[in-house]
Amino acid sequence: MSRSSESGSDPLRPGDHVDAPAEATRQPGDPRLDARGWGRFLWRQLTSMRTAIVLLLLLAVAAIPGSLVPQRSSDPNGVIQVRADNPELVWLYDALSLHDVYSSPWFSAIYLLLFTSLVGCVIPRLVHHWRAMRALPPRTPARLSRLVGFQTVPGDASDLDRADRVLRRLGYRTTRYGDSISAERGYLRETGNLLFHISMLALLVVIGIGSGFGYSGQRLVIEGRGFANTLSSYDSFTAGQWFDDAGLAPFAVQLDDLDVVYETENPNAVGAPLDFTAHVSVTEGGEARAAQIKVNEPLAVADADLYLISNGYAPRISVRDSEGQVVYDEYTPFLAQDDLMTSLGVMKLPDGLEEQLGLRGFFYPTAVVQDTGALASAYPDLANPVLSLQAFTGDLGLDSGIPRSVYALETEEMTQIAGGDSGVDALTMVPGQTLDIPGGLGSITFEDVRRYGVIESHVDHTQTPVFWITVVLFVSLLASLLIPRRRMWVKATSAGLELAGLARGEDPTLERAVDDLGRRIVEPAAAGGRAERGSTIEP
């Protein structure tokens, strides 16, 4: 058997080829990858365009949890509710920072890797592009017949000046090589590509640094009440790394009325919210003015934008002890549990009664009795408001030093005295109704109910820069996609002027562009006549 047959069916493989281990083929002088070599290899991998694209996609995927899981910075009430509904997953939320995705270590790592990759990718390309733009177009190939759109038109070396002017008017950079012209255009394609990547870098820098000077604060405000723009006034406050609370603009906001419009005519969508309008009074610089905030129409106050991000109901409950003394009288925000605004709330009374009292209740804006006897809400507006409370006595755990959520009532160490399995009906009331608390602790009154709105005060210094960077990014992307990068050559031969083109990448219009060039060169010569070849009629 010949060695050529042993080499297999590959016709390009030499017949005397013998496989050998890599170590056997290594020559004494061959370089090995040391720490520096591995570092150079990893750097090249990180700064490759493929890696940048992968990191960009990974950043987009990493942002998905921030949209699916409530974030502390934008929806603190949602965070509380999710953690209360899924106590078995709280460890996962904390381990992966799912409630603080955009400030989590893993999201920051992807962000920094992407930034590094883009910097390492763009800078060498900028240098190369700068040199290419300053360099002369390449020399004319010896055989233009192998290129796209090759054709020969009437003319000779004396027509090259006219061809040069035509090419320049078409936006080409030209140079003469003997009896030929080499022309090139489309550098704006690479310029647009680089500008696109520089815009992405600028976007990362602006968002990463600019957001460090902003803040976002949320405050739940009941109708008739307000808040001032101070740290202590906010229910939750998230600030950038370089934020200085001394820079908070002095203003105050009062929620006068929260108007919600629901669908009433379409039978298939009755109760669907159509519009939310918060009518507010703003005090700024010692002057008060009326204004309004809508869901998609924030209110600008000083350097902040005020957003209406959620709403709900706050029943007013008063509790009296056995002697008739008021020990509790407050509006308590209830969190909506469904689209019909069935709401859940908690009240804790550590003092004033003979025992600590905890109340957990459901509020139904338009209460109806189901076939099972349970209550439900049939409409989100206040048509038939009903409040149903379960009562518990015992240690509320407020003196243990452990933070407790105001929206959750831990009843493991408490005794239920109304509702549930206590044997006593829940305290079900309508506005103005008073019921006795079981055990002779006192009485409870459902006084009235108001709406509340969650107003977010947001300062973002990146909005204007991000807008213009996005415009530049979009325009540069169009340039990098639509502007063709091509070369043209015109060569004087004994047969006439040879024309041909070459594109960098796909260019379906290149052949048509060569035809157009030939027409522009020939037509002025035909109009002027061959007798006047020494002078050129410009197109």
Side-chain angles (χ1 to χ4, degrees):
M1 182 181 295
S2 67
R3 291 193 176 186
S4 60
S5 62
E6 291 177 356
S7 65
S9 59
D10 187 356
L12 301 180
R13 191 176 187 183
D16 60 350
H17 176 80
V18 177
D19 290 327
E23 292 297 328
T25 60
R26 185 183 299 277
Q27 300 298 321
D30 289 348
R32 293 175 178 270
L33 279 180
D34 53 8
R36 182 178 180 182
W38 276 109
R40 184 183 297 110
F41 170 77
L42 294 176
W43 173 254
R44 288 178 178 175
Q45 295 300 313
L46 176 62
T47 56
S48 67
M49 184 57 64
R50 179 175 59 184
T51 301
I53 293 174
V54 170
L55 288 172
L56 184 61
L57 293 175
L58 191 59
L59 190 70
V61 172
I64 293 177
S67 301
L68 300 179
V69 180
Q71 301 295 292
R72 286 191 176 91
S73 60
S74 59
D75 189 9
N77 292 334
V79 172
I80 295 171
Q81 189 62 48
V82 165
R83 295 172 73 90
D85 294 342
N86 304 279
E88 70 281 359
L89 296 178
V90 169
W91 69 271
L92 181 63
Y93 294 142
D94 293 337
L96 299 180
S97 302
L98 293 182
H99 293 307
D100 303 282
V101 167
Y102 305 110
S103 59
S104 63
W106 52 271
F107 189 88
S108 300
I110 299 173
Y111 184 93
L112 292 175
L113 283 174
L114 176 60
F115 182 82
T116 305
S117 178
L118 287 174
V119 170
C121 177
V122 168
I123 291 179
R125 289 179 61 188
L126 276 173
V127 175
H128 176 77
H129 183 55
W130 173 254
R131 291 175 178 172
M133 291 184 65
R134 293 171 59 86
L136 296 175
R139 289 187 171 275
T140 306
R143 298 181 181 179
L144 294 181
S145 58
R146 297 181 177 182
L147 303 180
V148 178
F150 173 75
Q151 58 184 272
T152 302
V153 299
D156 54 28
S158 62
D159 295 312
L160 290 178
D161 289 339
R162 182 170 62 254
D164 184 82
R165 288 194 294 271
V166 171
L167 285 168
R168 288 180 180 274
R169 290 186 178 183
L170 291 174
Y172 288 85
R173 294 191 307 122
T174 64
T175 188
R176 293 283 290 268
Y177 293 107
D179 290 339
S180 67
I181 299 174
S182 179
E184 191 170 22
R185 63 169 289 183
Y187 278 100
L188 284 178
R189 181 187 184 94
E190 180 65 10
T191 302
N193 191 289
L194 288 171
L195 192 57
F196 173 80
H197 289 86
I198 293 173
S199 298
M200 291 193 63
L201 274 173
L203 196 63
L204 293 175
V205 171
V206 167
I207 293 176
I209 297 179
S211 59
F213 295 94
Y215 71 86
S216 176
Q218 294 81 32
R219 174 61 186 262
L220 187 150
V221 187
I222 299 170
E223 289 177 324
R225 298 183 180 180
F227 70 98
N229 188 35
T230 60
L231 286 178
S232 58
S233 295
Y234 289 105
D235 298 322
S236 63
F237 192 87
T238 304
Q241 183 177 359
W242 301 286
F243 169 77
D244 182 6
D245 56 1
L248 287 173
F251 66 82
V253 179
Q254 176 176 301
L255 179 60
D256 299 323
D257 180 57
L258 181 57
D259 183 24
V260 183
V261 179
Y262 297 102
E263 176 63 57
T264 57
E265 298 181 359
N266 186 351
N268 297 321
V270 172
L274 300 179
D275 187 40
F276 298 88
T277 304
H279 300 278
V280 298
S281 297
V282 179
T283 302
E284 182 181 6
E287 298 182 358
R289 60 185 173 92
Q292 65 180 27
I293 311 172
K294 289 181 174 290
V295 173
N296 295 318
E297 298 178 14
L299 172 65
V301 180
D303 60 346
D305 292 321
L306 304 184
Y307 296 84
L308 178 65
I309 60 175
S310 66
N311 72 102
Y313 290 104
R316 177 189 168 197
I317 306 298
S318 64
V319 178
R320 291 173 172 80
D321 60 18
S322 57
E323 298 180 357
Q325 298 295 321
V326 176
V327 296
Y328 182 91
D329 187 358
E330 294 183 11
Y331 286 95
T332 302
F334 278 45
L335 300 180
Q337 306 297 301
D338 55 33
D339 294 336
L340 297 176
M341 297 300 290
T342 302
S343 304
L344 174 65
V346 168
M347 288 151 281
K348 301 176 183 180
L349 286 77
D351 303 307
L353 300 178
E354 296 178 2
E355 297 183 73
Q356 292 189 3
L357 178 67
L359 300 172
R360 181 170 59 199
F362 278 92
F363 176 72
Y364 308 93
T366 302
V368 294
V369 180
Q370 298 178 317
D371 296 337
T372 60
L375 291 174
S377 181
Y379 188 70
D381 210 352
L382 295 173
N384 181 32
V386 172
L387 179 64
S388 178
L389 298 174
Q390 296 177 345
F392 300 83
T393 57
D395 185 9
L396 293 171
L398 301 180
D399 299 327
S400 62
I402 301 175
R404 306 285 182 178
S405 171
V406 296
Y407 297 101
L409 181 64
E410 299 179 9
T411 60
E412 291 79 5
E413 305 297 330
M414 304 186 73
T415 301
Q416 189 168 8
I417 61 174
D421 299 329
S422 65
V424 179
D425 291 339
L427 305 175
T428 302
M429 298 173 288
V430 297
Q433 184 176 359
T434 300
L435 295 177
D436 291 330
I437 302 174
L441 294 178
S443 62
I444 184 169
T445 302
F446 180 13
E447 302 286 355
D448 64 353
V449 60
R450 292 182 180 179
R451 287 186 180 272
Y452 71 80
V454 177
I455 296 178
E456 178 180 67
S457 177
H458 186 71
V459 170
D460 186 0
H461 301 290
T462 67
Q463 289 182 346
T464 300
V466 165
F467 170 77
W468 288 112
I469 290 173
T470 303
V471 171
V472 173
L473 191 147
F474 180 74
V475 173
S476 61
L477 178 61
L478 289 179
S480 67
L481 294 176
L482 301 180
I483 296 177
R485 176 78 179 274
R486 57 172 63 137
R487 291 169 179 170
M488 290 282 192
W489 290 279
V490 180
K491 185 177 183 180
T493 66
S494 58
L497 295 178
E498 292 184 350
L499 283 68
L502 180 66
R504 183 173 180 178
E506 295 293 331
D507 188 355
T509 63
L510 177 59
E511 190 168 354
R512 188 165 63 247
V514 177
D515 293 338
D516 180 65
L517 175 62
R519 179 184 58 80
R520 290 173 179 266
I521 294 175
V522 172
E523 286 182 353
R530 302 305 297 174
E532 300 179 3
R533 295 184 60 158
S535 61
T536 301
I537 301 178
E538 296 186 2

